[in-house]
Amino acid sequence: MSTASVPVPPAPTASGQTARRLRHAGQRLATVLLTLLGLLFLTFVIGRVMPLDPVLSIVGPDADRSTYEQVRQQLGLDRPLAVQFGYYLRDLSHGDLGKALLTGHPVRDDLARVLPATVELATLAILIGTLVGVPLGVYAATRRGRLGDHVVRLISLFGHSTPIFWFGMMGLLVFYAWLGWAGGGGRIDLAYDGLVQSRTGLLLVDSAMAGEWEVFQSALRFIALPAGILGLHAVAYISRMTRSFMLAQLSQEYILTARVKGLSETAVVWRHAFRNILVQLLTIVALAYGGLLEGAVLIETVFGWPGFGQYLTSSLLLGDMNAVMGSVLVVGIVFVALNLLSDALYQVFDPRTRS
Amino acid sequence: MNPSRTLRACALATALAAALVSLGAQARTPNDQLVIGVSMNNLLSLDPAGATGNDVVEIACNVYDYLVELDPLQTTTVKPGLAESWAIAPDGRRITFTLRQGAKFHSGNPVTAEDAAWSLQRVLKLNLALASPWKSYGFTAQNVVGLVRATDARTLVIDLPVATDPKMVLYTLGTSVSAVVLDRKTVLANEKNGDLGAAWLTTHAAGSGPFKLDEWRAKEVLFMSRFDGHWRGPAKLRRVVMRHMTESQSLRLMLGRGDIDIATGMSVPDIEAMKATPDTEVHSVNRGTLYYVAVSAKDPKFADKRVRAAVLRHLVDYDGINKTVMPYYGVYHQRPVPLGLPATLPEPGYKLDVAGARKLLAEAGYADGFKTTIRVVAESPFTNIATNLQATLAQAGIVASILPGTGNQVYGAMRERNFEIIVGRGGGGAEPHPHSSLRALVYNPDNSDQARLTNFQGWRTSFADPKVNQLIEGALLLTDPAKQTAAYQEVQRRFDSEVPAIQPISQMVDTVVMRKDVRDYVGHPSVTTRLRDVHKQR
């Protein structure tokens, strides 16, 4: 009697694994592309429904009919919506985001100019937010219910609930107008504007690479205040989250065990508890960074900072759809990239997610 | 590391950063540079054929030369620019300009009458926004080449296709961006697909003015530097910087520290505060544009003259608005012809009169009032005027809801003739001639929907009075100044008796705040403020 053979799943081979990974990556890519396409479509539809007339923005309220119609035709706005969207996608596939009404330049060039300004601001802010917020959060958690905890929570509450606009004005008043420590509006002192060739668009990096330390110092003077204020906002959020993550860890049994085993409090807090919240922290820092990139609008207005936030707002108010869609695409890509990055980091730091 | 040590390290790092930042003393703007803080939100293009709004005028009049200029203090006085003289034919249909010798463009090319003729022809061929005034004089893309021409390198002849007041044409030449003289060779060298250089001129300039455009980064900064080869001799300033700043408080702080020399577009409380400081002074200039309340005569309620009179004449608190809302924005004025012209009649003296309004409304069958909407641009002073109006309308039982929006939305609705009440600003304004405002605000030669005369605010309010049209057309052609003045006064009296759908409440004032060491800055009522003589005394 022959025994029925029990189907045994084939042992995973190296090539099988690669194939699976490739398939997984392919699915991931398709999802990302579909998400971005959906985002573009939605923006396009909303943009066309909005009661804003880009033609009117160009020709002004007093133009006559023939001028109005001519410009409308030049912009292609007389064609059916589906056709307009089709043309947009066609151009997009060639890397062409169209021309911005706002500046007269290709949207791609505009974004290449305004994005670094915001990236520089947001990066410095998130660095401040993380380097100050995380230790503060940990400190508060270890002092739960005591004075230190209350102080940190108060700082967090203050930073989170005070309008960033007000912080900006007060910061300018104190550090710029009274003390003269910080620069005023703009990214750099006009005397230094254009002295350093733009390589990355990040003024601090460019001037350091060129060895122009006076320019670097001027750029630092101008960025310190807006980045500090945005950073404070991030501190409030990050410290609050860190505190609650830490509290959750510190009440776990393994902490008790570690303490019973006689480990020092520093070792318990940093080597055990903190290591276990790293992954969660990465996610919130990534999200906060994305938020800063997109949400620095008010600070950019107060400080006359020529960045992405101002660009997006102005193009929205003008009904400049090429600029709006280009900007939305960038925001979409940034969020997708940050999500992918935090997923990847999860896999590095948390072995459980690797399967 | 223990938490409190971390905290101490952070504190130390912050202190270090602050110390680093405080290095480098704050300097005032250099002696030979002028830094202007300004909102460049409306600056979308620098092309003289297509760029609308006031922002571009302030730049164009310094980067380009005009054939003629209007005196900033006596705006009806026409002064030589690139043209050293001009003659008007006895029948008023031809203006002949003689251009000065030796003028050069920034490129080094000589300025010729051919350049001047080509520049004007270009405006009409492109048919963009700034072709409007020229089209109203009868020029078209087809006829302009024959009518505007150079007879030799220094002589430019402009033949007027339809009878008009040649003064009006001279004023347009002195105020409109479309009238600047372009360096034809440079522009054509940058032409793409037969666009007459339009794409290139959007962000570049090719002029002969006292300043060269160095760089314009939209919504950020614009640099101009002195053109040493200018025919008037070099300007006093080496560099002019316009910095995009929209936040009034930030402007105030920067002005206070001397990081900018001139600020425009500041809010009233900030202007008041700067007025009280010793280092700055406040300058206001009357513009020709008017703030108005308009109603749509297409709406059955406002088709009734009595309702229009009740709302526009009796239910607007003219005194209150002009005293509380308008300081630094506008001055009391109720006529369609701006202040300061010989033809302007004394104010009719409309004032808030609720009882009078109620009586008129009752006669029209609206004793209990009605519901309506006020469309308004969501910024000062428009919203303040609208809320004031809302309150006074309510006193006569009219319940008005306010619909705030962007300029685009509000004027867009007006262009569609789809509104009830609007608080807006408009008028010809730039040319110091009654016709300029009357054409923009009152004239409506065809009140049909199909006409789509969207450039006439008279058409947008759906109000047409053939007699007013006729009077406006007639007055423009009168060559005797006294008779012309009398004719324009007649237009205003007719306007008064017919209660048109648009009612001026205030004449626009533009206020700049500047450091006291800035000298010889004279704001121009037509926005063509020239910086060539401006300097600093420290």
Side-chain angles (χ1 to χ4, degrees):
Chain A
M1 198 175 111
S2 61
T3 47
S5 61
V6 181
V8 176
T13 58
S15 66
Q17 240 175 20
T18 318
R20 211 169 45 236
R21 276 194 192 145
L22 274 178
R23 206 168 51 238
H24 182 68
Q27 281 171 353
R28 204 65 194 264
L29 189 71
T31 318
V32 166
L33 285 179
L34 273 177
T35 310
L36 292 178
L37 188 70
L39 189 69
L40 275 185
F41 180 70
L42 207 66
T43 319
F44 184 81
V45 170
I46 293 172
R48 290 293 181 255
V49 177
M50 270 199 310
L52 277 176
D53 186 349
V55 181
L56 209 53
S57 300
I58 296 177
V59 301
D62 298 326
D64 69 4
R65 187 183 178 179
S66 75
T67 300
Y68 181 91
E69 293 299 337
Q70 181 182 314
V71 172
R72 195 171 125 84
Q73 219 173 356
Q74 278 169 3
L75 294 179
L77 293 173
D78 54 334
R79 302 204 184 105
L81 275 191
V83 177
Q84 288 180 44
F85 191 60
Y87 282 142
Y88 185 81
L89 290 184
R90 183 197 62 195
D91 294 343
L92 190 64
S93 67
H94 299 111
D96 178 4
L97 295 174
K99 209 169 116 177
L101 310 178
L102 189 70
T103 60
H105 288 293
V107 173
R108 200 176 45 188
D109 296 359
D110 280 345
L111 290 174
R113 184 169 58 86
V114 297
L115 259 180
T118 301
V119 165
E120 192 168 36
L121 188 65
T123 307
L124 209 60
I126 201 71
L127 275 175
I128 295 172
T130 313
L131 292 179
V132 178
V134 170
L136 272 186
V138 173
Y139 174 80
T142 58
R143 297 278 190 285
R144 185 181 190 178
R146 284 150 65 183
L147 182 69
D149 184 25
H150 291 313
V151 170
V152 172
R153 283 168 68 191
L154 203 69
I155 293 173
S156 166
L157 187 73
F158 184 61
H160 207 73
S161 53
T162 312
I164 204 156
F165 187 80
W166 185 84
F167 270 134
M169 287 321 308
M170 289 302 117
L172 269 178
L173 191 65
V174 175
F175 295 103
Y176 166 69
W178 287 354
L179 300 172
W181 292 358
R187 286 180 82 183
I188 194 162
D189 201 309
L190 289 173
Y192 298 113
D193 198 322
L195 274 189
V196 170
Q197 194 203 339
S198 173
R199 290 182 200 167
T200 60
L202 309 170
L203 263 179
L204 289 175
V205 177
D206 286 345
S207 53
M209 274 163 69
E212 293 275 3
W213 297 108
E214 273 189 41
V215 179
F216 179 83
Q217 207 183 54
S218 174
L220 190 62
R221 270 165 45 79
F222 276 79
I223 201 171
L225 194 53
I229 287 163
L230 271 183
L232 181 65
H233 213 64
V235 164
Y237 174 63
I238 291 172
S239 68
R240 199 160 46 100
M241 298 310 280
T242 309
R243 179 181 175 275
S244 71
F245 293 154
M246 277 303 278
L247 283 180
Q249 290 299 322
L250 289 174
S251 62
Q252 300 277 321
E253 267 185 30
Y254 74 90
I255 295 290
L256 200 66
T257 317
R259 280 186 180 140
V260 169
K261 273 162 68 184
L263 277 182
S264 76
E265 192 58 23
T266 313
V268 169
V269 169
W270 291 104
R271 236 181 278 153
H272 291 263
F274 186 70
R275 259 176 68 172
N276 280 333
I277 67 161
L278 259 182
V279 175
Q280 288 166 298
L281 271 186
L282 278 173
T283 314
I284 63 143
V285 168
L287 284 179
Y289 186 59
L292 284 179
L293 272 182
E294 162 202 31
V297 179
L298 288 177
I299 275 297
E300 288 188 1
T301 308
V302 174
F303 287 90
W305 193 265
F308 182 71
Q310 278 215 37
Y311 185 75
L312 180 55
T313 325
S314 310
S315 42
L316 266 173
L317 288 177
L318 200 68
D320 182 352
M321 279 322 286
N322 284 342
V324 171
M325 288 173 70
S327 307
V328 167
L329 189 64
V330 165
V331 173
I333 290 172
V334 165
F335 270 96
V336 166
L338 285 172
N339 262 319
L340 290 179
L341 186 75
S342 70
D343 278 4
L345 290 172
Y346 257 76
Q347 300 205 0
V348 173
F349 286 102
D350 189 350
R352 285 170 302 179
T353 53
R354 272 181 214 161
S355 60
Chain B
M1 196 155 71
N2 91 26
S4 59
R5 241 176 36 219
T6 318
L7 210 61
R8 275 204 298 276
C10 288
L12 187 70
T14 315
L16 271 175
L20 187 66
V21 165
S22 68
L23 291 172
Q26 193 75 25
R28 280 192 300 172
T29 57
N31 260 338
D32 54 357
Q33 293 190 31
L34 189 74
V35 184
I36 306 174
V38 55
S39 161
M40 295 201 255
N41 269 337
N42 295 322
L43 188 63
L44 304 180
S45 164
L46 297 178
D47 184 352
T52 55
N54 285 346
D55 303 355
V56 69
V57 184
E58 296 186 6
I59 296 156
C61 69
N62 289 297
V63 171
Y64 292 98
D65 275 319
Y66 287 64
L67 288 172
V68 292
E69 297 179 2
L70 303 192
D71 188 298
L73 302 175
Q74 190 61 54
T75 45
T76 48
T77 306
V78 184
K79 296 168 103 178
L82 275 179
E84 59 184 10
S85 64
W86 54 93
I88 298 172
D91 67 351
R93 297 288 289 266
R94 170 175 290 184
I95 315 176
T96 310
F97 294 90
T98 307
L99 271 62
R100 66 184 62 247
Q101 250 170 340
K104 279 193 168 57
F105 288 111
H106 301 154
S107 63
N109 295 330
V111 180
T112 64
E114 281 93 1
D115 290 300
W118 182 83
S119 302
L120 257 181
Q121 291 167 3
R122 177 178 178 275
V123 172
L124 282 143
K125 283 182 187 161
L126 288 174
N127 187 28
L128 297 175
L130 291 221
S132 291
W134 302 105
K135 285 192 278 187
S136 76
Y137 298 135
F139 291 101
T140 63
Q142 289 73 39
N143 71 16
V144 68
V145 178
L147 295 169
V148 178
R149 62 196 189 282
T151 52
D152 61 53
R154 290 183 57 205
T155 311
L156 173 77
V157 176
I158 298 182
D159 283 327
L160 302 177
V162 292
T164 187
D165 183 348
K167 275 207 303 293
M168 186 69 196
V169 178
L170 273 180
Y171 292 157
T172 303
L173 283 171
T175 54
S176 172
V177 177
S178 63
V180 303
V181 178
L182 292 163
D183 181 349
R184 181 177 43 141
K185 283 187 190 136
T186 304
V187 173
L188 285 178
N190 290 290
E191 185 178 33
K192 260 191 199 148
N193 309 322
D195 71 346
L196 299 176
W200 185 75
L201 278 173
T202 304
T203 52
H204 297 81
S208 61
F211 293 94
K212 290 181 285 193
L213 176 75
D214 293 330
E215 194 185 3
W216 169 42
R217 298 200 289 265
K219 305 277 178 296
E220 186 179 346
V221 70
L222 183 140
F223 295 104
M224 291 189 263
S225 64
R226 175 165 64 203
F227 171 47
D228 289 322
H230 193 253
W231 54 270
R232 285 183 201 267
K236 291 183 177 160
L237 291 163
R238 189 172 60 78
R239 195 159 88 134
V240 175
V241 182
M242 290 183 163
R243 203 159 197 178
H244 176 60
M245 296 290 305
T246 51
E247 185 45 49
S248 177
Q249 294 259 342
S250 312
L251 279 170
R252 175 175 156 187
L253 294 176
M254 290 185 75
L255 202 58
R257 281 196 64 82
D259 279 344
I260 51 176
D261 300 300
I262 298 179
T264 68
M266 284 176 72
S267 73
V268 171
D270 290 325
I271 295 175
E272 290 281 4
M274 293 318 283
K275 209 174 179 180
T277 59
D279 296 335
T280 50
E281 53 194 22
V282 175
H283 288 251
S284 291
V285 176
N286 279 11
R287 298 253 187 264
T289 320
L290 302 169
Y291 287 94
Y292 58 72
V293 177
V295 297
S296 173
K298 223 177 164 186
D299 186 283
K301 301 185 287 289
F302 298 116
D304 191 318
K305 187 173 169 180
R306 292 165 296 188
V307 178
R308 287 201 303 276
V311 169
L312 299 175
R313 303 265 162 100
H314 299 313
L315 287 176
V316 180
D317 180 9
Y318 290 92
D319 287 330
I321 289 174
N322 278 295
K323 276 188 194 135
T324 58
V325 176
M326 298 311 285
Y328 303 111
Y329 289 117
V331 289
Y332 177 82
H333 187 56
Q334 299 173 327
R335 294 283 187 195
V337 175
L339 288 164
L341 298 179
T344 314
L345 282 179
E347 304 296 344
Y350 308 129
K351 50 166 69 84
L352 183 64
D353 173 10
V354 179
R358 276 190 177 280
K359 190 165 158 267
L360 282 169
L361 286 172
E363 281 172 20
Y366 295 103
D368 299 328
F370 50 81
K371 279 190 179 172
T372 186
T373 56
I374 305 174
R375 285 181 189 267
V376 60
V377 182
E379 59 186 56
S380 290
F382 298 99
T383 39
N384 313 53
I385 301 174
T387 44
N388 193 303
L389 180 64
Q390 185 184 39
T392 47
L393 288 175
Q395 292 179 32
I398 299 175
V399 181
S401 43
I402 294 178
L403 304 177
T406 61
N408 189 315
Q409 291 166 330
V410 171
Y411 296 116
M414 199 186 182
R415 285 172 67 98
E416 297 302 319
R417 307 223 266 187
N418 176 26
F419 71 100
E420 289 185 43
I421 303 180
I422 214 163
V423 172
R425 191 174 66 196
E431 297 106 341
H433 194 294
H435 186 75
S436 174
S437 290
L438 293 172
R439 181 184 63 196
L441 290 175
V442 181
Y443 188 59
N444 180 7
D446 182 351
N447 197 25
S448 68
D449 279 351
Q450 299 75 32
R452 289 201 64 78
L453 302 176
T454 47
N455 47 328
F456 295 132
Q457 292 175 59
W459 178 84
R460 295 192 211 161
T461 58
S462 311
F463 177 87
D465 174 25
K467 182 79 191 294
V468 162
N469 291 336
Q470 201 187 335
L471 286 172
I472 292 174
E473 288 162 8
L476 183 66
L477 299 182
L478 293 173
T479 47
D480 179 339
K483 281 188 184 153
Q484 193 181 42
T485 299
Y488 279 121
Q489 292 176 338
E490 177 63 23
V491 175
Q492 291 167 79
R493 279 190 283 271
R494 174 78 188 178
F495 178 89
D496 208 43
S497 68
E498 287 309 298
V499 199
I502 206 158
Q503 174 57 48
I505 52 176
S506 204
Q507 180 163 340
M508 185 184 169
V509 160
D510 213 1
T511 302
V512 300
V513 184
M514 66 173 93
R515 303 275 306 175
K516 272 197 176 140
D517 52 16
V518 176
R519 293 276 181 276
D520 292 339
Y521 177 96
V522 187
H524 199 291
S526 305
V527 206
T528 49
T529 301
R530 296 189 161 88
L531 302 172
R532 58 188 178 230
D533 294 325
V534 175
H535 59 281
K536 293 184 191 174
Q537 198 163 46
R538 287 181 170 162

